[in-house]
Amino acid sequence: MFENKDSENTSISSLGEFGLIDHLTKHFKIQNKTTVKGIGDDAAVLDPEEGKQLVVTTDMLVEGVHFDLSYMPLKHLGYKAVMVNLSDVYAMNALPSQITVSIAVSNRFPVEALEELYAGITTACEHYKVDVIGGDTTSSTTGLVISISAIGTVSEEKITYRNGAKENDLLVVTGDLGAAYLGLQILEREKQVFKVNPNAQPDLEPYSYLVERQLKPEARKDIPLLLSELDVKPTSMIDISDGLSSEVIHLCKSSNVGCNLYEDKIPLDPQVIATCEEFKMDSTTIALSGGEDYELLFTVSTKDFPKIKANPHLTVIGHMTHEKEGMHLITRANTKIPIIARGWNALTEED
Amino acid sequence: MFENKDSENTSISSLGEFGLIDHLTKHFKIQNKTTVKGIGDDAAVLDPEEGKQLVVTTDMLVEGVHFDLSYMPLKHLGYKAVMVNLSDVYAMNALPSQITVSIAVSNRFPVEALEELYAGITTACEHYKVDVIGGDTTSSTTGLVISISAIGTVSEEKITYRNGAKENDLLVVTGDLGAAYLGLQILEREKQVFKVNPNAQPDLEPYSYLVERQLKPEARKDIPLLLSELDVKPTSMIDISDGLSSEVIHLCKSSNVGCNLYEDKIPLDPQVIATCEEFKMDSTTIALSGGEDYELLFTVSTKDFPKIKANPHLTVIGHMTHEKEGMHLITRANTKIPIIARGWNALTEED
């Protein structure tokens, strides 16, 4: 993809390290009044709002591990790398305000490729009103590595940890699950087809939602605002990018509670159901273990049920139990099976 | 170095991703009262001191680009990776309080190797009273990548940018220069000797300071405190890890001034002088372009000269001039030559 060294490509070395950073970051605009100084000094300077707490999170994406440039356009990759971090900020019921972006890149990438990556980062920051306040651009011996840290703000009253879920609280998930994982399967399949027949024209139309969820996920910036409007303070909250089952376990263990999760309540998009049938996959397994959905999982007191029940963005999928009862999936056949974490990319199985 | 798969080594995959993070981070203790929540949720939570500003910086270190594990012990690498970031915080006249640590690592590293790396990070954080509040541990297809972000605090009155230097201000540098670069040359030479004769016993004693400056640099945490004690507010300040000449240029361009830098004032350790003679290298060139010294370069008003002149940590090496006069080195022979940035690892030459 970047092997064609045609004359319109600019080599990274022609700009030099400082020139490259200037070139890539000059378009960033400051949108938040808490950002006193962005890029251009030894460190960025923030002036936090009085009475607000800050949340800080960081994620690293590695080529060949987290993304494959043969089907992930660099612009989308830049956008997604920001989303991965913002999702963690929203999971604290906070609003993101600043990010730093560090990139290691081999010189097989022309400057134009990095421009694409930064265009995606810029678009994400504009949409989510986040300032890029710093970063580092360095060479890599092989692939591309992107490390982003995000900072957000929230009042102490609203901040939501993983450890506040109580027995009988309702378990709620935003959006729908499993689509991002299936999107990846579709893209992998098309890559194999392309290898055999480079002239094949893939028809991705029946899978458009799945592919979009994989290539251009959105973090749930609407959820902290919605919760505020509904006057609901979740008792606990977590981002479920690693898969529903593994995050249910984190929430339960952090809060010292158990839970019953109802298979028939798990929200699935029609494309997920249709594609699972086509691939002969179990949609519940995909929803539980697929990952990369960037939805939020939270618990609310039963007294808040009337406030959330009619909302199209929120689905009650279960309730918390006493810790001794353990964590279970209640299947459509009304059998009770223990929930285990089995992310598709996990190095091992946890229980 | 990590190829011996003896039975005492633990593979990363045996712990799993979450198990590995828990294992590596469980020893971190919180030392700062502004850290409300460290590792263990979607994001860390900070409660900034009222009236203080925050500084944020980030740096990425890549195996084969920034370090060579054949002579850089992992514990030292962990320590140095923290120093690189803290130095940028001190360069704002701020005090560091928190860091996040993200690591991409190939499975050729046993868990014990990562424990060494984290031991160095932990030691650095204890010495510098910094909390590790988050991070990410992921696999890499090849080498080791470390990305650290640091947060520090400073009052608005004390914060020191690059852009405040005025004509006639004195140019001051901390410590001495060139040693870290020469330390790297010594280690590279020993690596070549070792390749030819693995039984050779290197005598590094004459180079002990140089090697220490390369392998175990310290950030100048004493300088913001010293400046406060001396009641000196620098007009501008910058970290000079990229080499004196390139940072003098940054300072001048940001502040719209010129400068005269006096060759005979540049502080050099006796080992630097002796080793430059041995290697037939020009010590001024090494001091100007060597880099990795993690010293601070700052400017002060001439009225503050009495406060700093006797201090053994500080050396006045020049003064700022009108922008039109440009940036010059005044040599021992009293000739005036333009300062150009020529870092040893620079991708191109700037002027």
Side-chain angles (χ1 to χ4, degrees):
Chain A
M1 177 171 189
F2 302 118
E3 303 306 316
N4 60 326
K5 303 267 189 244
D6 68 62
S7 61
E8 294 186 33
N9 280 347
T10 313
S11 74
I12 289 176
S13 59
S14 71
L15 286 176
E17 187 189 338
F18 295 120
L20 178 64
I21 292 172
D22 281 352
H23 179 75
L24 294 174
T25 62
K26 66 187 173 195
H27 299 299
F28 290 134
K29 286 187 188 66
I30 298 301
Q31 304 185 74
N32 288 286
K33 65 179 195 303
T34 57
T35 307
V36 176
K37 172 80 187 176
I39 291 166
D41 214 298
D42 293 282
V45 179
L46 309 183
D47 194 2
E49 270 182 88
E50 250 180 61
K52 287 281 178 84
Q53 295 196 328
L54 294 183
V55 301
V56 183
T57 181
T58 188
D59 268 291
M60 188 180 255
L61 300 181
V62 179
E63 184 179 353
V65 178
H66 299 99
F67 57 89
D68 181 335
L69 291 175
S70 60
Y71 49 71
M72 179 57 125
L74 280 160
K75 198 168 175 176
H76 286 185
L77 177 62
Y79 194 92
K80 183 170 178 173
V82 178
M83 291 308 115
V84 171
N85 278 279
L86 300 193
S87 187
D88 282 321
V89 172
Y90 296 125
M92 304 301 289
N93 209 13
L95 299 180
S97 44
Q98 287 91 11
I99 62 169
T100 63
V101 180
S102 290
I103 290 173
V105 64
S106 77
N107 56 14
R108 79 183 156 99
F109 289 82
V111 170
E112 287 74 11
L114 290 181
E115 284 171 354
E116 279 295 296
L117 183 70
Y118 271 82
I121 291 170
T122 304
T123 303
C125 288
E126 283 169 0
H127 287 185
Y128 286 78
K129 303 205 185 310
V130 167
D131 297 330
V132 179
I133 57 165
D136 197 9
T137 305
T138 183
S139 36
S140 124
T141 46
T142 52
L144 175 64
V145 179
I146 307 173
S147 175
I148 294 187
S149 295
I151 293 174
T153 56
V154 58
S155 67
E156 193 178 344
E157 305 79 61
K158 284 194 178 171
I159 197 161
T160 309
Y161 293 97
R162 294 179 179 179
N163 64 359
K166 300 277 179 288
E167 203 179 332
N168 297 322
D169 280 357
L170 300 173
L171 184 65
V172 184
V173 71
T174 64
D176 54 73
L177 302 177
Y181 175 78
L182 289 176
L184 183 62
Q185 303 313 305
I186 297 293
L187 291 165
E188 286 281 358
R189 185 176 70 172
E190 293 308 322
K191 182 180 175 181
Q192 299 310 322
V193 169
F194 181 81
K195 276 185 186 167
V196 176
N197 176 11
N199 295 317
Q201 290 292 321
D203 176 17
L204 294 179
E205 182 57 33
Y207 314 108
S208 58
Y209 178 66
L210 312 181
V211 170
E212 189 181 336
R213 291 280 281 182
Q214 172 58 225
L215 294 184
K216 195 167 175 293
E218 301 286 348
R220 295 306 304 249
K221 71 173 171 179
D222 55 327
I223 298 300
L225 300 174
L226 177 66
L227 291 170
S228 185
E229 279 169 24
L230 296 175
D231 192 27
V232 171
K233 160 86 195 282
T235 52
S236 69
M237 185 149 63
I238 191 168
D239 154 279
I240 49 167
S241 54
D242 287 337
L244 178 61
S245 60
S246 115
E247 307 301 5
V248 164
I249 292 170
H250 277 139
L251 209 63
C252 287
K253 286 189 174 174
S254 299
S255 298
N256 300 313
V257 290
C259 89
N260 285 334
L261 172 61
Y262 294 85
E263 183 181 18
D264 63 346
K265 304 291 186 193
I266 298 173
L268 302 173
D269 185 85
Q271 279 191 12
V272 167
I273 296 167
T275 307
C276 279
E277 279 171 13
E278 182 192 342
F279 280 60
K280 299 196 188 339
M281 285 173 160
D282 175 44
S283 61
T284 303
T285 305
I286 302 301
L288 283 171
S289 307
E292 291 207 276
D293 287 317
Y294 302 104
E295 297 293 343
L296 301 175
L297 178 73
F298 60 90
T299 54
V300 296
S301 163
T302 50
K303 75 173 169 49
D304 284 331
F305 180 62
K307 296 178 188 169
I308 61 165
K309 69 175 178 180
N311 197 290
H313 298 291
L314 308 177
T315 309
V316 177
I317 57 172
H319 60 86
M320 312 319 275
T321 61
H322 193 281
E323 188 176 13
K324 280 185 196 154
E325 293 185 41
M327 299 166 277
H328 291 94
L329 179 74
I330 314 297
T331 67
R332 287 191 188 87
N334 205 25
T335 57
K336 199 169 174 178
I337 57 173
I339 296 173
I340 56 165
R342 193 178 353 207
W344 291 97
N345 297 312
L347 298 158
T348 185
E349 194 174 290
E350 293 185 325
D351 56 19
Chain B
M1 178 172 188
F2 301 118
E3 304 304 318
N4 59 327
K5 303 266 188 243
D6 68 62
S7 61
E8 294 186 33
N9 281 347
T10 313
S11 73
I12 290 175
S13 58
S14 71
L15 286 176
E17 188 190 337
F18 295 120
L20 178 65
I21 293 172
D22 281 352
H23 178 76
L24 294 172
T25 62
K26 65 186 173 196
H27 299 299
F28 291 135
K29 287 187 188 62
I30 298 301
Q31 305 183 73
N32 288 287
K33 65 179 193 305
T34 56
T35 307
V36 177
K37 172 79 187 177
I39 291 167
D41 214 298
D42 292 282
V45 179
L46 309 183
D47 193 3
E49 270 182 88
E50 250 179 62
K52 288 279 179 84
Q53 294 195 328
L54 295 185
V55 301
V56 183
T57 180
T58 188
D59 268 292
M60 190 180 255
L61 300 181
V62 179
E63 184 179 353
V65 178
H66 300 98
F67 57 89
D68 181 335
L69 291 176
S70 60
Y71 49 72
M72 180 56 124
L74 280 160
K75 198 168 175 174
H76 286 185
L77 177 62
Y79 194 93
K80 183 170 178 173
V82 178
M83 291 309 114
V84 172
N85 279 278
L86 300 193
S87 188
D88 282 322
V89 172
Y90 295 125
M92 302 303 289
N93 208 13
L95 300 180
S97 45
Q98 287 91 10
I99 61 169
T100 63
V101 180
S102 290
I103 290 175
V105 63
S106 76
N107 56 14
R108 78 183 157 99
F109 289 82
V111 170
E112 287 73 11
L114 289 181
E115 283 171 355
E116 279 296 296
L117 183 71
Y118 271 81
I121 292 169
T122 305
T123 303
C125 288
E126 282 169 1
H127 287 184
Y128 287 77
K129 302 205 187 309
V130 167
D131 298 328
V132 179
I133 56 165
D136 197 8
T137 304
T138 184
S139 36
S140 121
T141 46
T142 53
L144 176 64
V145 179
I146 306 173
S147 176
I148 294 187
S149 295
I151 294 173
T153 56
V154 58
S155 67
E156 194 178 343
E157 305 80 61
K158 286 195 175 170
I159 197 159
T160 310
Y161 293 96
R162 295 179 178 179
N163 64 0
K166 300 277 179 287
E167 203 180 331
N168 298 320
D169 280 356
L170 300 173
L171 184 65
V172 185
V173 72
T174 65
D176 54 72
L177 302 177
Y181 174 78
L182 289 175
L184 182 63
Q185 302 313 304
I186 297 292
L187 291 166
E188 286 281 358
R189 185 175 70 171
E190 293 308 322
K191 182 181 175 181
Q192 299 311 319
V193 169
F194 181 81
K195 276 186 187 167
V196 177
N197 175 11
N199 295 317
Q201 290 292 321
D203 177 17
L204 294 179
E205 183 56 32
Y207 314 109
S208 57
Y209 179 67
L210 312 181
V211 170
E212 190 181 336
R213 291 281 281 182
Q214 172 59 225
L215 294 185
K216 195 169 175 292
E218 300 286 347
R220 296 305 304 247
K221 71 172 170 179
D222 55 325
I223 298 301
L225 299 174
L226 177 66
L227 291 169
S228 185
E229 280 169 24
L230 296 174
D231 192 28
V232 171
K233 160 86 197 281
T235 52
S236 69
M237 185 149 61
I238 191 168
D239 154 277
I240 50 165
S241 53
D242 287 336
L244 178 61
S245 60
S246 115
E247 307 301 5
V248 164
I249 293 170
H250 277 140
L251 210 62
C252 288
K253 286 190 174 174
S254 299
S255 298
N256 300 313
V257 292
C259 88
N260 285 335
L261 171 61
Y262 294 85
E263 183 181 18
D264 64 347
K265 303 292 186 193
I266 296 173
L268 302 173
D269 184 85
Q271 279 192 12
V272 167
I273 297 167
T275 307
C276 278
E277 280 171 11
E278 182 191 342
F279 280 59
K280 299 196 188 338
M281 284 173 160
D282 176 44
S283 60
T284 302
T285 306
I286 302 299
L288 284 171
S289 308
E292 291 208 275
D293 287 317
Y294 302 104
E295 297 293 343
L296 301 176
L297 178 74
F298 60 92
T299 53
V300 295
S301 163
T302 49
K303 76 172 170 48
D304 285 330
F305 179 61
K307 296 178 187 169
I308 62 164
K309 69 174 177 182
N311 197 291
H313 298 291
L314 308 177
T315 309
V316 177
I317 56 173
H319 61 85
M320 313 320 276
T321 61
H322 193 281
E323 188 176 14
K324 280 186 196 153
E325 293 186 40
M327 299 167 277
H328 291 95
L329 180 75
I330 313 298
T331 67
R332 288 191 187 87
N334 206 24
T335 56
K336 200 170 175 177
I337 58 174
I339 294 173
I340 55 164
R342 193 178 354 206
W344 291 98
N345 298 313
L347 298 159
T348 186
E349 195 173 288
E350 294 184 325
D351 56 21

